[in-house]
Amino acid sequence: MKAIRRFTVRTVLPEQLQPLHELALNLRWSWHPETRDLFRSVDPDVWAATGEDPVRLLGEVPAARLAALAADRRFLRRLGDLADDLREYLAGPRWYQSAGQQAAAPLPAAIAYFSPEYGIAAALPQYSGGLGILAGDHLKAASDLGVPVIGVGLFYRHGYFRQSLDRDGWQQERYPLLDPDELAVTLLREADGTPARVDLALPGGRTLAAHIWKAQVGRVPLLLLDSGIEANSPAERDVTDRLYGGGSEHRLLQEMLLGIGGVRAVRAYQRLTGHPAPEVFHTNEGHAGFLGVERIRELVADTGLDFAAALEAVRAGTLFTTHTPVPAGIDRFDRELVARHFAGDAALPGVPADQVLALGAETWRGGDPKLFNMAAMGLRLAQRANGVSTLHGEVSRSMFNGLWPGFDAADVPITSVTNGVHAATWIDPAVVRLGATEIGADRAEEAMTTGETQRWTGLERIGNAEVWDLRRTLRAQLVDEVRHRLRASWRQRGAGEAELGWVSSVLDPDVLTIGFARRVPSYKRLTLMLRDQQRLRALLLHPTRPVQIVVAGKAHPADDGGKRLIQQMVAFADDPAVRHRIVFLPDYDMAMAQHLYPGCDVWLNNPLRPLEACGTSGMKAALNGCLNLSVLDGWWDEWYDGQNGWAIPTADTGEGVLDPDSREAERRDDIEAAALYDLIEEQVAARFYDRGSDGLPHRWIAMVRHTLVTLGPKVLAGRMVREYVERLYAPAALAQRELAGTGAFRAAHELAEWKAGVREAWPVVRVEHVEADCPDEAQELGSALALRVQVALGPLEPADVEVQVVSGRVDESDRISDACLLALKPVGGPDLDGRTRYEGSLELCRTGPFGYTVRVLPAHPRLASPAELGLVALPPEMAGMDAGVLR
């Protein structure tokens, strides 16, 4: 018989143990080993049974045990010390407060960070993959550094999904209901005790309401909006039912609630707690893009600004981070569906529906006029944007080039901040202890927090024997974990205990161990290693240099192609001849990952280049002394140095992303798989098993040590968040303050009017004549060309534009590379024909083929980039050329 209603009965803790609640409700425990050890000591069996979740632990530990702990002086001293440590962590000054004292302008009082998913801990399953884990690591690093971030997301009652396999190896999904009362979240309440609530108007007079759950991530509050409340009708109640579920309208409502409702949740939190108002809004991918529309509505309603001025004020303080390297990864909605949700009785006051639609319009060549593009809206609403690795920045500039017609991809105003990972979450405590013996515990903690390179020096002095003993210990821990999980998986698949005796001999703690775990879209190529199964078997079963592989990953529930890849991998791993050397573990999550990364010797990543935006799993592995074996994509393209792992060669056809079923794609995969086998056999395994007279693989250990010392500080989320603060948050806050002024937003009005005037006048702006001294003859290095350019500006003033010379090496088609920019100066006023002359001297600082061109760009001190308006005037010789081509 089923219950008609479910609720949680909380344990009443003795007064002496009340600080346990404080520790359990702050998710800092998820990256603080001492706090986890304290909870483990409460009741080790219950701790393990509850999945190492302090909230569930306190709900299930027997009352007699609690009474015993309340009388245990040693436990109470530990509890008191850890409670004091948490309070000091929450209140004391950290890196951000020190940086603020040295900054030329005040750093942002607060930053609102929006993401559709967050991977904080396995006990709070609100994530699906890398995007959510990155968002969780961002919040944790911000907390450690003292950066005043407010996280905003959705609370999914069913999370993503739990994965299992059937007897045939086909992925099965389960969506267990999450009870907020059993999680480390609290309901945001009004002063009278009623739940705080945000409402969104929907078409047909309907309302989408949501309560706000707060998860405390160290110093950072994370606000999660929950539509599963009685005030909603059944359809609206299900908006936040599960992550990335439902049809198009369901997804649109999720993204409206995240963006519009998220801003309103931040305002409610400000009002109820006195938290400073965010000066910067950071949207992690396009899912939260509607936050900019809501902030425009606020300014129109609160200050009387018109839409154009409000747009400029919003843009100044907004940052958009893109994570996708392909257009197919962008959310796009039917234009009429969006129009219906922003018009009539669903309209936002002061924000016309046609203006909203224009923000997401695909106006570029090849765009679909019937679709609304969330990434396009995100870029139009943000004055600053970035990709998540250097290579991904290049890919993003090319992918979004159509929003800036007339500019080369290199000029598109999208920078990059390479992702990082939160060290304290992902480094095994044994690795930290080994480092602390050499550089000290305090310095080890600072090294993991800040990412400052000098903090990592000294690790190179750790002895070879100590490094190798640690690696063997971590490998053995992984072997035990794999056997436990594999047995549970086979039981779920229907196997009886009598059939599973072989599981106890799966994997060997002394065999080279390779890990591969991630989501399973086709571009990540889960089954590349299966291209030549005979060759793979030979590697696994080599008599003197065997290899073992641990594989995990989830396919999206609607992705049957990804499920077939998993089934192929499982079929191979089920073979009795090799199942002791290769395993597939279902239900990949943070808890599994925290065992996988430390326990593997090599982390394998073989995506289609350049489709891996960053790929942070290899970073987590590197922090534990695991070497990377990867295609040069994402972060590995930027930081591979030949001594920290191996690069898998790519069979680049130069034809972009190929149809996966094409003959060319098959040939490419065959070539890259063969290269992978060769690397494993001839370099990776050969080095791992190359032992000295003392039994140690000295060259391998040298690579491990080099990885820790050189990659350690680079791959940290602390380094990443510091970059965001210094390069993007601080400039955005300053720009926002300048446009707001004293609150009258006069500068926003002026900027909007200036842009409107420039756009209206631009059709008559042109470069009419360019001349130089002896431009067609060979020139000597170090000489200079005197340039004179005649420019028609129409009604614009010289101060409204910048006339630039773009110069550099040229190829056979006269295309400029490694361009240098020189701004020319106006000489005198306009002539009788209204033309203004510009002059300058171009120094010839490079030998070989050299070329230049001239262009005119809008110029204003409050533009973040000369390309911001997407306007450029080129010489008449370039008339008719495709947008984006400069010669």
Side-chain angles (χ1 to χ4, degrees), residues 771-782:
E771 64 180 62
D773 295 336
C774 304
D776 299 323
E777 298 178 4
Q779 302 292 306
E780 293 183 354
L781 181 67

Side-chain angles (χ1 to χ4, degrees), residues 684-697:
V684 181
R687 181 158 295 193
F688 182 86
Y689 290 106
D690 177 19
R691 307 296 167 92
S693 58
D694 54 3
L696 300 178

Side-chain angles (χ1 to χ4, degrees), residues 516-632:
F516 182 103
R518 51 190 42 83
R519 291 184 304 110
V520 190
S522 59
Y523 79 87
K524 291 182 182 282
R525 298 193 294 183
L526 170 73
T527 56
L528 184 70
M529 68 180 79
L530 301 182
R531 297 294 294 184
D532 184 341
Q533 295 190 11
Q534 183 176 352
R535 185 88 186 270
L536 178 58
R537 283 191 179 91
L539 292 172
L540 296 171
L541 304 176
H542 194 284
T544 58
R545 299 201 303 262
V547 170
Q548 57 194 16
I549 305 176
V550 182
V551 183
K554 289 181 174 180
H556 187 280
D559 182 10
D560 281 352
K563 293 180 184 180
R564 280 191 290 273
L565 296 178
I566 290 175
Q567 189 176 44
Q568 292 168 26
M569 178 59 68
V570 172
F572 182 86
D574 283 352
D575 183 349
V578 296
R579 65 188 181 187
H580 63 298
R581 287 280 188 259
I582 182 168
V583 297
F584 180 88
L585 301 179
D587 210 23
Y588 180 48
D589 65 358
M590 291 184 71
M592 183 192 295
Q594 286 168 327
H595 289 280
L596 270 178
Y597 298 129
C600 290
D601 300 295
V602 173
W603 196 257
L604 174 61
N605 191 28
N606 46 231
L608 289 173
R609 189 180 191 274
L611 301 186
E612 186 78 273
C614 186
T616 55
S617 62
M619 295 179 170
K620 298 160 194 163
L623 281 174
N624 288 281
C626 178
L627 305 180
N628 276 267
L629 171 61
S630 176
V631 167
L632 288 174

Side-chain angles (χ1 to χ4, degrees), residues 10 44 56 109 455 502 768 825 848:
R10 291 189 179 274
R56 291 180 58 199
R455 303 287 184 186
W502 59 274
E768 296 205 335
K825 302 295 184 184

